[in-house]
Amino acid sequence: MPDVPIINNSERKLNETVCVDTKRIFDSCVSKDCLEELRVTFFDDNQDLIDNAVNVKTRYSSVEAVSVDVDEVPFNRGYYSVDITCYFKVGFDTYSALCTTPQVAEGYTSFNKKCILYGSEGRVKIFASSAETDNLECAESPQYTSPNAKVQLVDPVILDTDILEATTPDIPALITTFPQSILDEVVDPVPVTTGEKAVLVSLGLFSIVQMERDCQMLIPAYDYCIPERECQCNTQDACTTFQGIDFPVEEFFPSERDENNNNCCNNER
């Protein structure tokens, strides 16, 4: 294989400034939400596992879908209301008797929040060429320069789980509306509304919401982005490749606790 010249990007000098069309973040916010007593909806036979269980433990929770709607805020130019609905899948270990192997029941729940962010103003209509329109010689539909909201989430932390009788007074209403992507995951897309028991979960959710808008920005350009390292295209046998991988010591011997975090909750007094 011929030698490949490696160029150090840090040694490059500024050549010019270029205009790029990209997305600019005009506003953003960070949220730490405690979602208390969200009622879980079950499909198929999962409700039967809950009704017949003598003990239920929450195994996991994950973000399955997010719906984001952006609307202008009246009488406050440049600001937009972001309506976010998060849909979660929650898995439970259900025990039909003591000292038995648990069966997993999966259910879904949702949470809605709203925030107001600055997205600037712009009333421009954008028309762009494409291969399809060029071949058909038809007019291109316009794209509007309205801002877009981006939501970043991590899977929620399970804080608490309660099992109640479905007839308990003042219990949260059962959620019956879910996006099609979730309904496609279950065998029978009709929520079970006749269960004897209700499951309420409390989740901790971390999120970042950003308001973006297409814009043209002037940035410094040094040179083309050339990779700094050579590709390791190893074509030898699998065992030889495996022998070249470092032993994962950290997986077997976790790092010790930091001296600055002796307090489990790290509460300030």
Side-chain angles (χ1 to χ4, degrees), residues 40 42 46 50 56-62 88-94 103-109 158 161 199 201 203:
V40 180
F42 295 96
N46 292 281
I50 298 295
V56 176
K57 295 181 180 179
T58 306
R59 171 183 285 191
Y60 60 83
S61 63
S62 61
F88 309 103
K89 177 194 288 185
V90 188
F92 304 91
D93 286 335
T94 62
Q103 292 182 283
V104 178
E106 290 184 336
Y108 299 86
T109 187
I158 302 169
T161 304
V199 180
V201 295
L203 306 174

Side-chain angles (χ1 to χ4, degrees), residues 7-21:
I7 301 176
N8 189 352
N9 288 329
S10 62
E11 298 178 356
R12 294 173 175 170
K13 297 181 180 180
L14 175 63
N15 291 335
E16 59 177 338
T17 55
V18 297
C19 184
V20 297
D21 190 358

Side-chain angles (χ1 to χ4, degrees), residues 9-265:
N9 288 329
S10 62
E11 298 178 356
R12 294 173 175 170
K13 297 181 180 180
L14 175 63
N15 291 335
E16 59 177 338
T17 55
V18 297
C19 184
V20 297
D21 190 358
T22 184
K23 290 185 179 295
R24 175 184 173 184
I25 301 175
F26 280 84
D27 200 0
S28 62
C29 62
V30 178
S31 297
K32 184 172 68 173
D33 298 301
C34 181
L35 320 180
E36 296 184 89
E37 297 186 343
L38 301 178
R39 187 169 179 178
V40 180
T41 300
F42 295 96
F43 297 85
D44 308 326
D45 298 330
N46 292 281
Q47 182 67 56
D48 294 335
L49 295 176
I50 298 295
D51 292 340
N52 299 325
V54 298
N55 189 21
V56 176
K57 295 181 180 179
T58 306
R59 171 183 285 191
Y60 60 83
S61 63
S62 61
V63 180
E64 290 298 298
V66 178
S67 173
V68 182
D69 292 323
V70 179
D71 296 309
E72 291 187 60
V73 177
F75 311 111
N76 200 350
R77 298 180 62 179
Y79 284 85
Y80 296 81
S81 172
V82 184
D83 193 355
I84 306 169
T85 304
C86 305
Y87 298 91
F88 309 103
K89 177 194 288 185
V90 188
F92 304 91
D93 286 335
T94 62
Y95 298 82
S96 58
L98 297 178
C99 301
T100 58
T101 302
Q103 292 182 283
V104 178
E106 290 184 336
Y108 299 86
T109 187
S110 67
F111 167 74
N112 179 265
K113 66 177 297 181
K114 182 176 293 187
C115 58
I116 296 178
L117 296 175
Y118 179 73
S120 187
E121 296 182 79
R123 302 292 181 182
V124 178
K125 297 180 181 179
I126 301 176
F127 297 83
S129 64
S130 64
E132 292 79 7
T133 57
D134 290 344
N135 293 333
L136 298 177
E137 295 185 356
C138 60
E140 174 74 10
S141 59
Q143 298 178 354
Y144 296 90
T145 58
S146 58
N148 298 319
K150 178 190 291 185
V151 181
Q152 302 179 53
L153 302 166
V154 295
D155 287 338
V157 180
I158 302 169
L159 303 177
D160 191 21
T161 304
D162 290 328
I163 311 297
L164 306 174
E165 295 295 330
T167 56
T168 303
D170 300 327
I171 195 171
L174 194 66
I175 302 170
T176 58
T177 303
F178 292 94
Q180 190 62 42
S181 59
I182 289 181
L183 299 179
D184 291 340
E185 295 182 2
V186 299
V187 177
D188 185 1
V190 179
V192 179
T193 59
T194 58
E196 299 177 1
K197 297 180 181 179
V199 180
L200 305 181
V201 295
S202 295
L203 306 174
L205 183 65
F206 298 93
S207 63
I208 296 177
V209 184
Q210 299 174 176
M211 187 66 71
E212 300 177 340
R213 181 186 288 276
D214 291 337
C215 66
Q216 292 74 42
M217 300 184 66
L218 195 65
I219 63 172
Y222 295 88
D223 205 341
Y224 289 105
C225 184
I226 303 175
E228 295 185 0
R229 66 182 183 87
E230 184 179 350
C231 297
Q232 299 297 328
C233 301
N234 197 339
T235 58
Q236 55 192 353
D237 62 273
C239 290
T240 304
T241 302
F242 176 75
Q243 293 298 329
I245 300 176
D246 295 335
F247 190 87
V249 179
E250 294 80 5
E251 298 295 331
F252 292 88
F253 303 97
S255 59
E256 297 182 1
R257 182 176 58 184
D258 191 349
E259 295 180 358
N260 297 326
N261 296 323
N262 290 330
N263 190 334
C264 65
C265 299

